[in-house]
Structure formats: structure tokens, C-alpha cells
Amino acid sequence: MKPKVLLTHPLLKEAMDYLAEQTELELATSQDFLPHSELVQKIVDKEGLLCFLSDTIDQEVLDHAPALRAISNCAVGINNIDLKLARSRGIIVTNTPNILTEPTADLTMALILATTRRIVEADEFCRQGRFQGWRIDLFLGQGLQGKTLGIIGCGQIGQAVARRAQAFGLKIIYYNRHRLSPDREAALKADYRQLDTLLAEADIVSIHASLNPDSDHLITGDKLALMKRSAVLINVARGAIVDEKALAKALKTGQIWAAGLDVYEHEPQIEPDLLSLKNVVLLPHIGSATYETRLQMSLMAVNNLLEALAGKTPANLVKDS
Ligand code: GLV
């Protein structure tokens, strides 16, 4: 008999068709948003769950899932799942690591360039028919050569950003829970700093940490106040690492120069004050959104789930957070 599986939102078609062939599949919704109450109702008889970072898999969901054996998260971050509780109930949890490192690092560079060179403002200016000819002072931004990039969270994605940043002539400093080995630091040409020192020294601060109790609101108003007035903050990790209200205030008052965000504290809601500011570039959580990567993520998430349901140890079992 095929295992009963709940898929919270559509996957890319190739992967969804394969999952439908191999399991008794229910697609919870084809909308962007799945109410938590519906998820709780639909999980009741399922052995497998394939979900996304926008689904909160908390005690209420797990309490309604007596048959659940495996949760496959189609994301690298697993902060949306109560991992401890799932484990204590013998439920296997998997994620999709490694494959989204490079596209997320690419998007980080896109945000660094978009903010420092004011790309979105300039595009809007052209579309409004306001380009009247070359001018020496039109959309002056900031160059990257010789500036300092401060990477917060120097795991795979942070390191992929460091490799790219070298090519732009950026000096690299980083803060991480665990300091990298001397060999790795040398390969990345990255120097370790304490968080406050990094914030004070960097021209661009880029966040690549995972969200956990230690990194929740790591960047408060007080921390933003340590940054240079000319500094730029980039966040492609998780919104809750930054106090979004404090960030909006810092951007509004010119305490920092600009920000580039792909993630939000209360996603998909965006702090309303940010929406009216010109010195912030806002993206709808598209760090890994290339066709190739999203297909790989979809297939990986399906394979992880099928392996777990077949009683095998899945390739991408989440061990420790
Ligand atoms: C994206 O944010 C992910 O965690 O996969």
C-alpha cells in the first residue's frame, strides 16, 4: 500500500508528478497561503509531510499527526519545524542542503550591487521618463573596491559570498559562532571579528546565519547604531535575525545608508515603514529561485521523503541544528 502524504504547496511539476506516482498524495492548497488550521486538519491520517519554510510545524500540528513518520522540508533552513519535539516522537526530519548555496550567494551579490549602485531607484527614474541626459552627479552610489564586507554567519553560503566578494576587491571580515580553521580563513582571505567590532568596521554587513534562539534579533537597534552611517545591511538569511522596526528607523533617520532584504521578520508581511523608503531594496524571498535549483530542491525533498517512508536513512537527515 502506498503511504499517505500531505504536500502543503505545489512543487515543480516533474517532482510533484513523481511524488504522486509513489504515494497517496494530497495537495493541501495551490494558493500561496495555507492556514495553519487547515494544515492541522489535513495532517491527521498522513505518514509523510512535504512542507516549506512558510509552514509552521509546531506542537499543534504534531499533536494532530499520530501516524506521521517523516517530515521533508523543501528548504535548507529548518527553523519552521519544532525539531526537538518531532525527534522525541520518532519523526524523521530532512532538508535540502548544499544545492542552494551558489544561487543564494549570487542573489547576495545582486543585493550588494543593487543597494550600493542604487539600481532600483535608477530603473524607476528611467521608467518615469525622467532621464534627460548624462549628468556628473546622477545616482551617485558607493564603489566596492577596497571596502570591507562583514559576513555574519560564515557557513556554506557566507563562504560562497566571500569567494565572490574577493573578485570585487572587497576586504572580508566575518563573525561566526565557531571560528573557521586557519586554512579556511586563509583560503577565503577572511579575518575573524567579534560581532560589535564587525558592525563598526564593515561598509557592507551581510547576514548568512541560521535562525535559532541565539540569532533571533541578533541585530537590534543598538547593534545598528554601531554601524557606519555609510553602511549597507544585507539579509538573505531569515528576517527575524534583524529587528525590522529598528531597521526601518535606522534607514529613515540615515543612521545607516541602505539595506537589501530578501527575508522579513513576519513573512510575508513587510514592515510598512520600509515600503515607502527609497534606500531599501525589497525582494520576495527568492534567494534560491533559479529554475535549476528549485527543481533540484523539489526532487531532493521528494527523494528524502520517499527514503524515510521506505525505512531507509535519508540522504539529508537533519541531525543537529
Ligand atoms: C531558504 O530560505 C531556505 O532555507 O531554503
Side-chain angles (χ1 to χ4, degrees), residues 53 74-77 96 100 237-238 285 288 297:
L53 55 91
C74 189
V76 63
T96 58
L100 41 75
R238 284 293 181 269
H285 206 147
S288 61
M297 285 171 71

Side-chain angles (χ1 to χ4, degrees), residues 163-214:
R163 287 196 298 274
R164 284 159 175 74
Q166 281 181 24
F168 283 86
L170 284 155
K171 176 178 169 228
I172 299 150
I173 57 177
Y174 78 97
Y175 166 75
N176 201 44
R177 274 197 292 187
H178 309 291
R179 191 167 170 175
L180 302 177
S181 69
D183 284 356
R184 190 121 289 271
E185 286 188 354
L188 295 169
K189 296 193 176 71
D191 291 329
Y192 181 78
R193 295 286 188 278
Q194 292 297 333
L195 180 61
D196 288 4
T197 312
L198 177 146
L199 290 168
E201 200 176 321
D203 298 296
I204 300 154
V205 173
S206 194
I207 301 175
H208 303 284
S210 55
L211 177 62
N212 55 46
D214 290 339

Side-chain angles (χ1 to χ4, degrees), residues 268-282:
Q269 268 109 48
I270 300 177
E271 166 62 34
D273 282 352
L274 288 175
L275 298 174
S276 56
L277 294 174
K278 287 224 179 295
N279 56 345
V280 59
V281 174
L282 304 170

Side-chain angles (χ1 to χ4, degrees), residues 51 59 122 176 227 276:
C51 59
Q59 177 164 4
N176 201 44
M227 291 172 64
S276 56

